[in-house]
């Protein structure tokens, strides 16, 4: 069997959070293109259902939509139970849902800080441990978390201390779980994208206005596309990544190199 065949995800079942649109939609599409059945997990169930329909039609795979607030333990448990029941198991997941709240630290309210932490890091703990419990009890699995280059550097000019801290925490949680579960066949890795042209950036006027400044700092002079994160996630979800755990993959067009 050739390497491309070995990387396929035929027969595997997984879910992606924050998959109605953006990066999550892209990786969910790629997982299905690689042969997996996938659940599109999102707060926005209407868009998630449309996304699931599009991916199912394009790939012929079983693709379901599940409404879930990833900050709710009850929702995440019920979502994982639904994935197992509807898809027949759980081999991989991509904990990807996230938000970006920008405010100068001396003006940020504690509520803003807590909201950012709840969606960007507490949710990853919930998703990883609830999915992980199933995987540990059923032979193993692969967990992918979306961190960010913001966990490695302090982005400028926008002030985003909470976002940066939450993404650094995603990386360290990833490594901690990877070490705890290394002998039990559950792998945990993270991806750290640079600036990617999704609605998180394009639909936020205060961020969209900064694109030219970011591009001036970027070695490639452009934003990344969500599609440029697909292949690393398919690799991480699959069996050729069997020795890959506890790693963070920076995909940023060399933005953080200097
Ligand atoms: P996006 O805003 O386009 O999509 C995020 C999705 O998450 C939306 O569909 C939204 O409904 C969903 N979501 C938000 N809160 C949720 C919750 N509590 N429960 C369930 N779903 C929820 O964003 P994106 O750019 O695709 O970002 C995806 C991830 O990638 C985030 O973790 C983000 O921090 C990270 N990231 C993005 C960039 C970028 O430049 N776009 C760069 C690095 C990292």
């Amino acid at each position: 069997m050739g390497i491309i065949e070995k990387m396929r995800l035929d027969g595997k079942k997984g879910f992606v959070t924050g998959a109605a649109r953006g990066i999550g939609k892209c990786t969910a599409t790629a997982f299905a293109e690689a042969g997996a059945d996938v659940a599109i997990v999102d707060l926005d169930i209407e868009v998630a259902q449309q996304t699931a329909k599009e991916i199912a039609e394009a790939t012929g795979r079983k693709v379901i939509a599940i409404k879930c607030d990833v900050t709710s333990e009850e929702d995440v448990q019920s979502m994982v139970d639904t994935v197992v029941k509807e898809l027949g198991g759980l081999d991989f997941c991509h904990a990807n849902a996230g938000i970006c709240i920008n405010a100068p630290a001396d003006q940020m309210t504690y509520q803003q800080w807590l909201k950012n932490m709840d969606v960007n890091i507490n949710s990853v703990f919930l998703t990883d441990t609830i999915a992980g419990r199933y995987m540990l009890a059923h032979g193993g699995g692969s967990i992918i978390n979306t961190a960010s280059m913001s966990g490695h550097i302090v982005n400028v000019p926008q002030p985003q201390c909470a976002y940066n801290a939450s993404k650094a925490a995603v990386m360290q949680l990833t490594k901690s779980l990877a070490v705890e579960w290394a002998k039990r066949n559950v792998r945990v890795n993270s991806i750290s994208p640079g600036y990617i042209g999704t609605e998180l950036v394009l639909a936020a006027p205060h961020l969209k206005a900064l694109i030219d400044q970011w591009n001036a700092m970027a070695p490639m002079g452009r934003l990344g596309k969500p599609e440029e994160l697909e292949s690393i996630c398919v690799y991480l979800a699959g069996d050729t990544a069997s020795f890959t755990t506890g790693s963070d993959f920076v995909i940023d067009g060399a933005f953080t190199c200097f």
Side-chain angles (χ1 to χ4, degrees):
M1 196 192 287
I3 184 64
I4 298 299
E5 283 71 34
K6 285 184 197 163
M7 290 177 76
R8 287 192 59 84
L9 304 177
D10 299 306
K12 291 193 187 293
K13 289 112 187 13
F15 69 83
V16 182
T17 69
R21 66 183 202 189
I23 292 169
K25 178 178 180 179
C26 259
T27 67
T29 303
F31 294 139
E33 285 172 353
D37 292 336
V38 188
I40 306 300
V41 176
D42 209 285
L43 260 184
D44 189 338
I45 188 61
E46 278 167 28
V47 181
Q49 278 164 343
Q50 182 55 39
T51 297
K53 189 165 171 270
E54 268 175 45
I55 300 175
E57 281 170 8
T59 63
R61 302 312 317 165
K62 182 166 184 179
V63 185
I64 60 172
I66 304 174
K67 182 174 168 70
C68 170
D69 179 346
V70 292
T71 67
S72 154
E73 183 176 13
E74 199 187 339
D75 271 20
V76 176
Q77 184 64 62
S78 147
M79 177 273 287
V80 169
D81 292 345
T82 304
V83 170
V84 170
K85 186 164 164 255
E86 298 285 322
L87 299 185
L90 177 62
D91 303 292
F92 67 89
C93 69
H94 183 184
N96 165 77
I99 55 169
C100 186
I101 296 178
N102 289 356
D106 56 335
Q107 290 165 33
M108 178 172 274
T109 65
Y110 189 46
Q111 285 313 311
Q112 286 177 309
W113 169 271
L114 288 177
K115 171 82 180 166
N116 179 93
M117 290 300 167
D118 220 18
V119 181
N120 286 1
I121 175 65
N122 296 343
S123 75
V124 179
F125 171 79
L126 285 177
T127 304
D128 287 10
T129 53
I130 291 172
R133 256 175 234 133
Y134 176 89
M135 292 172 181
L136 290 165
H138 293 85
S142 172
I143 295 173
I144 304 160
N145 295 323
T146 300
S148 171
M149 71 169 171
S150 308
H152 294 264
I153 59 162
V154 174
N155 299 92
V156 289
Q158 71 279 17
Q160 50 177 58
C161 68
Y163 186 84
N164 298 341
S166 67
K167 292 301 187 177
V170 169
M171 281 186 264
Q172 195 63 349
L173 175 64
T174 299
K175 289 176 194 294
S176 303
L177 299 181
V179 169
E180 285 197 38
W181 296 343
K183 288 204 173 80
R184 299 167 73 191
N185 204 29
V186 174
R187 296 181 293 102
V188 192
N189 294 284
S190 57
I191 58 167
S192 279
Y195 292 116
I196 306 293
T198 66
E199 287 184 49
L200 182 132
V201 169
L202 303 175
H206 67 288
L207 293 180
K208 194 168 180 228
L210 299 174
I211 290 174
D212 287 347
Q213 285 181 66
W214 297 339
N215 286 346
M217 290 183 260
M220 285 193 176
R222 66 169 176 87
L223 301 182
K225 302 177 200 141
E227 294 79 13
E228 292 174 307
L229 304 169
E230 289 175 344
S231 52
I232 185 69
C233 291
V234 169
Y235 160 69
L236 290 172
D239 297 335
T240 64
S242 50
F243 198 54
T244 305
T245 192
S247 294
D248 178 68
F249 294 83
V250 179
I251 314 284
D252 68 347
F255 198 100
T256 54
C257 287
F258 63 93

